[in-house]
Amino acid sequence: MKKRTMLFLCVSAGLVFSSCKKKDADGPDRTNTNKYVNDWIYANMKDYYYWTSSIPANPDRTTDPESFFYGLLKSPDDQFSWIQNNFQELLASLSGVQKEAGYGYTLFLHEQGTLLGAQVTYVKRGSPAETAGLKRGDMFFQINGRDFPYSAASGSQNVNAFVSALGENHTIAAQQYFLTAGGEDSLGAERNLTLNTIVFAENPVYLDSVYSIEGKKIGYFMYNFFAPDKGDSTSAYDNEVDAVFSRFKAQGVTDLILDLRYNPGGDQVSTINLGSQIVKNYTANKLFFRREYNSLLTQEFTEDYGEEFFKMNFTPEAGNIGNTLQNFIILTSTETASASELIINGLKPYMPVYIIGDTTAGKNVGSTTIYEENDLRNKWGMQPIITKAFNSQNQSDYGLTGFSPDQRFFESFNLGVLGDTKEPLLNLALKKIVGAQWGRMAPAVQSSRTKVEKVGSSNMSRAFYQKMFERLPKR
């Protein structure tokens, strides 16, 4: 087996809150396509953008729409607004529907930092990747037999090319990563896999278990993004979340581990649903979080809906287990963002929240989807930041800095099997609950490596990686 030298570099994450349409900008110039779209972008940004007062007064409206949009953003405060040239693909991706083979991954550097490689973090249920036999922990160093060089000067272009190649049918030589008895990195035999991409609807309800340990009933729930359904208005995913917590309640769960390490956020509706399953001492009108908008929207929403419009309360849920919980632990990474962070911030005033993992992304702001459904000349969709979230104690101090873990753990190449008590992050959480010296629990095997840094992840191609989204009333 060829000796590989591997190095990880970095990526950030984010979320969304959902779709809204606005009328065409007044008087667009229909003789110039760029200006036509840019007039629309400008008018909507002036109305909706959280930092509307920072938008330049007279930008060049003849540039391409993508450059025009990013030129309007308030930097460095806004790292999460984005635009896409096809609003239908944008809307689908917000519900986890996109063209893919069906697996999460992180990108790393090998061969002294000159080539890109990837490691599979999880395989999505019912996906082509699962059918092909891809496994968590698999590494690959080429796509379709091709190397992907990396340099500091063209890093983002190289990463984008790598990610784009994974968005089409591709072949890889997968090798499972493992540690030897002496703690040395090693790779298994190559498995040549053909991975076809399809328009795939990922279910965010990934894994749930109940562990009976030392007289405790410990619930474990891995949830990979916030969406009520696949965009078909069935609430199917939220109903599955409800079913998970009903099972937890029926089995007498006393401690909860919520795994959000790969969760970049999503829909406000699903965020409230999950938080309401966990909060202690639920009462009617108990505040989960409050939203703040620019002065124009604040005035308009206040006049139309009153002050209560800005308050998001917990909802009554039959499966709520908050009052029985002795420990509530959240597993995090740098990809834990937006709605995931809102869960942390919104529950902290009501109950202890213990965090194990890496510092979260630091996204305390939310966006909405703006598009024109029937405009043949404008197929763009944009997701500008329009709101900031505060908890019941008026706290929103994690923007850009994130939540630091109570117990820091950097997920390395040695991933382990999700749901297995020896999987490193879950193992740490179980030990926190039952005691670090519990003799029957095998310790997590750790690599001697220090922090694993990444140059990217599969969440780069997911729309909600860039935002937390909100459902606004039509204007």
Side-chain angles (χ1 to χ4, degrees), residues 347-384:
L347 289 176
K348 270 181 173 288
Y350 304 112
M351 57 197 298
V353 180
Y354 192 86
I355 301 173
I356 298 177
D358 205 347
T359 301
T360 63
K363 187 173 184 299
N364 61 348
V365 289
S367 63
T368 196
T369 313
I370 301 175
Y371 62 99
E372 293 297 329
E373 190 167 21
N374 299 310
D375 188 343
L376 297 180
R377 295 191 64 197
N378 177 15
K379 296 300 180 184
W380 289 79
M382 56 181 174
Q383 200 82 24

Side-chain angles (χ1 to χ4, degrees), residues 72-354:
L72 300 180
L73 303 186
K74 182 175 175 60
S75 180
D77 300 293
D78 185 3
Q79 299 182 9
F80 301 105
S81 294
W82 96 105
I83 194 168
Q84 198 163 320
N85 63 5
N86 187 315
F87 75 83
Q88 292 175 323
E89 292 178 1
L90 168 59
L91 291 173
S93 65
L94 299 182
S95 298
V97 180
Q98 61 182 3
K99 185 180 179 183
E100 60 172 317
Y103 60 96
Y105 55 84
T106 54
L107 305 184
F108 60 86
L109 301 180
H110 64 105
E111 301 303 316
Q112 289 74 51
T114 62
L115 297 176
L116 283 165
Q119 183 176 35
V120 176
T121 52
Y122 73 102
V123 178
K124 300 175 184 180
R125 312 292 190 197
S127 68
E130 183 180 53
T131 301
L134 195 66
K135 302 294 183 184
R136 172 173 160 87
D138 278 342
M139 287 184 166
F140 56 94
F141 303 89
Q142 295 181 320
I143 305 173
N144 300 326
R146 171 191 168 194
D147 285 325
F148 284 78
Y150 182 93
S151 67
S154 58
S156 61
Q157 293 179 355
N158 295 331
V159 169
N160 288 341
F162 193 99
V163 172
S164 294
L166 296 180
E168 304 296 334
N169 295 343
H170 55 280
T171 59
I172 60 172
Q175 296 177 270
Q176 183 67 203
Y177 173 88
F178 62 94
L179 291 177
T180 65
E184 295 297 320
D185 301 300
S186 188
L187 294 173
E190 290 187 350
R191 294 157 21 242
N192 294 315
L193 303 178
T194 297
L195 300 168
N196 296 321
T197 57
I198 62 173
V199 177
F200 179 72
E202 177 185 358
N203 187 333
V205 182
Y206 191 74
L207 180 63
D208 66 277
S209 301
V210 175
Y211 307 96
S212 298
I213 304 173
E214 297 291 310
K216 292 180 174 290
K217 290 281 190 175
I218 304 169
Y220 169 71
F221 180 38
M222 187 173 202
Y223 186 56
N224 288 340
F225 62 94
F226 291 79
D229 47 55
K230 61 182 179 181
D232 55 7
S233 301
T234 62
S235 298
Y237 300 155
D238 279 355
N239 291 339
E240 288 190 41
V241 172
D242 295 347
V244 168
F245 280 86
S246 291
R247 290 194 293 273
F248 285 169
K249 188 170 186 176
Q251 294 183 60
V253 162
T254 56
D255 306 85
L256 176 64
I257 302 167
L258 179 61
D259 193 339
L260 302 177
R261 75 182 84 173
Y262 304 133
N263 190 318
D267 197 304
Q268 174 174 280
V269 170
S270 298
T271 309
I272 295 171
N273 185 61
L274 178 60
S276 299
Q277 307 284 357
I278 300 168
V279 66
K280 282 185 177 292
N281 302 316
Y282 167 80
T283 57
N285 301 317
K286 189 166 190 151
L287 183 65
F288 189 178
F289 57 92
R290 174 184 63 83
R291 292 217 157 274
E292 179 182 87
Y293 301 87
N294 67 36
S295 58
L296 174 65
L297 288 182
T298 298
Q299 179 180 351
E300 185 173 315
F301 292 150
T302 302
E303 291 174 353
D304 290 348
Y305 307 104
E307 294 290 342
E308 293 301 309
F309 174 84
F310 304 95
K311 300 176 182 179
M312 305 298 159
N313 296 326
F314 293 100
T315 56
E317 300 296 336
N320 177 282
I321 58 172
N323 290 349
T324 67
L325 291 181
Q326 299 172 17
N327 291 279
F328 174 41
I329 297 174
I330 296 182
L331 307 183
T332 64
S333 74
T334 57
E335 297 180 47
T336 304
S338 199
S340 290
E341 293 172 295
L342 196 59
I343 290 287
I344 297 171
N345 198 49
L347 289 176
K348 270 181 173 288
Y350 304 112
M351 57 197 298
V353 180
Y354 192 86

Side-chain angles (χ1 to χ4, degrees), residues 9-11 105-108 159 335 454-458 460 465:
L9 290 179
C10 162
V11 76
Y105 55 84
T106 54
L107 305 184
F108 60 86
V159 169
E335 297 180 47
K454 310 165 189 175
V455 290
S457 80
S458 50
M460 295 171 63
Y465 188 73

